[in-house]
């Protein structure tokens, strides 16, 4: 699991992708935003960390910002699909609104989305950046009260960072191709299929990405922009998914 010899390999990405690698102290999400305008679409930034699989990818949408944020759901699908390839059977890879990734109901990672700060909602942004983190190992035995999990401790024995990044890139390309043919609705439906369920509540996604939860008490709307800004799954002090 992300051993030092694994980190010497580099991902073999689909045609059109370009790879930027950073040392362990780097910030893939921040660096991708810095270079996004110049580097262009399908630039993937990877930090060579041992404990966390951390990477970010530049996207170039062709829709106004209010609609382009739906790409968050597309990229989260790709991340979950990549993880599910290598997960032990019959243990679910799910989402927690709007950006957390859970495995067997334990927090294992998450995604982030960024866009140019000066882009109005009704303009097409020059770029989007999706950043991902998945915990490769907790590096410690499970502790009482711990809600986070790691791949190594959960039985992901035959996968490393390079494998996961390669799988993510393949699934992202498949998702983008389907989006171009059918629009965003299939990606949104697939994301909703993996959303952690609440008994008696039905969920839907609005055209601008907001979540609507419908129950016997009525509709509750949750804003995507505000939720993405919180990044509830991230421990900002440690730069890793919360334990």
């Amino acid at each position: 699991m992300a051993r030092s010899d694994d980190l010497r390999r580099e991902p073999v990405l689909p045609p059109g992708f370009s790879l930027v690698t950073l040392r362990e102290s780097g910030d893939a999400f921040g660096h991708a935003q810095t270079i996004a305008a110049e580097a262009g679409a399908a630039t993937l930034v990877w930090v060579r960390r041992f404990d966390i699989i951390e990477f970010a990818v530049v996207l170039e949408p062709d829709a106004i910002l209010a609609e382009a944020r739906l790409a968050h759901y597309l990229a989260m699908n790709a991340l979950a699909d990549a993880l599910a390839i290598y997960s032990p059977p019959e243990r679910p890879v799910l989402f927690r609104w709007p950006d957390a990734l859970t495995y067997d109901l334990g927090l294992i990672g998450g995604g982030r989305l960024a866009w140019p700060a000066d882009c109005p909602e009704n303009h097409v942004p020059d770029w989007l950046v999706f950043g991902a983190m998945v915990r490769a190992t907790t590096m410690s035995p499970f502790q009482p009260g711990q809600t986070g999990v790691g791949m190594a401790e959960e039985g992901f024995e035959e996968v490393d960072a390079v494998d996961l990044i390669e799988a993510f890139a393949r699934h992202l390309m498949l998702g983008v191709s389907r989006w171009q043919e059918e629009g965003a609705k299939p990606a949104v439906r697939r994301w909703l299929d993996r959303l952690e369920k609440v008994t008696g509540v039905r969920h839907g996604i609005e055209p601008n990405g907001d979540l609507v939860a419908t129950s016997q008490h009525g509709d509750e709307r949750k804003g995507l922009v505000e939720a993405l800004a919180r990044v509830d799954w991230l421990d900002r002090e440690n730069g890793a998914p919360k334990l």
Side-chain angles (χ1 to χ4, degrees):
M1 174 60 59
R3 299 177 300 272
S4 58
D5 53 336
D6 297 325
L7 296 180
R8 295 193 189 101
R9 295 195 297 133
E10 288 195 348
V12 178
L13 302 175
F17 275 83
S18 58
L19 179 68
V20 176
T21 59
L22 304 177
R23 298 193 177 190
E24 185 174 351
S25 60
D27 173 4
F29 188 58
H31 188 76
Q33 293 174 64
T34 299
I35 67 172
E38 181 178 350
T43 299
L44 191 145
V45 181
W46 171 40
V47 176
R48 295 176 181 268
R49 296 180 63 172
F50 170 79
D51 58 332
I52 305 294
I53 300 172
E54 178 185 351
F55 60 92
V57 64
V58 179
L59 307 172
E60 288 185 357
D62 56 7
I64 63 172
L65 179 57
E67 300 170 359
R69 286 195 194 94
L70 293 173
H72 171 74
Y73 299 111
L74 172 73
M76 287 295 296
N77 287 339
L79 183 61
D81 287 339
L83 190 66
I85 290 174
Y86 300 103
S87 67
E90 300 180 0
R91 300 176 70 182
V93 178
L94 299 175
F95 299 132
R96 191 173 297 158
W97 162 261
D99 49 8
L101 185 68
T102 67
Y103 175 70
D104 200 23
L105 302 183
L107 180 67
I108 198 168
R112 290 185 280 177
L113 191 73
W115 52 88
D118 58 353
C119 181
E121 291 289 298
N122 61 349
H123 283 58
V124 177
D126 292 334
W127 51 264
L128 299 174
V129 167
F130 176 79
M133 284 187 182
V134 176
R135 185 180 296 281
T137 175
T138 63
M139 297 191 295
S140 63
F142 188 85
Q143 301 294 326
Q146 177 178 313
T147 58
V149 297
M151 293 173 66
E153 292 76 18
E154 294 296 323
F156 291 78
E157 299 295 343
E158 302 299 327
V159 57
D160 60 27
V162 171
D163 295 325
L164 192 68
I165 290 169
E166 290 176 344
F168 168 82
R170 292 193 300 269
H171 283 289
L172 183 66
M173 289 300 295
L174 289 172
V176 168
S177 295
R178 188 175 183 189
W179 181 305
Q180 291 171 341
E181 294 175 359
E182 303 179 39
K185 287 185 178 180
V188 169
R189 286 196 298 265
R190 291 201 68 228
W191 185 90
L192 284 170
D193 287 342
R194 273 200 168 109
L195 178 63
E196 290 184 354
K197 299 299 186 287
V198 178
T199 303
V201 178
R202 185 175 72 254
H203 293 97
I205 299 294
E206 293 292 287
N208 69 344
D210 291 353
L211 180 75
V212 177
T214 302
S215 69
Q216 61 180 351
H217 304 294
D219 291 349
E220 179 187 5
R221 185 168 183 142
K222 300 180 180 180
L224 178 62
V225 174
E226 296 81 6
L228 288 175
R230 292 195 299 269
V231 199
D232 289 333
W233 58 268
L234 180 65
D235 184 332
R236 295 182 185 274
E237 288 187 9
N238 297 327
K242 292 177 179 177
L243 279 174

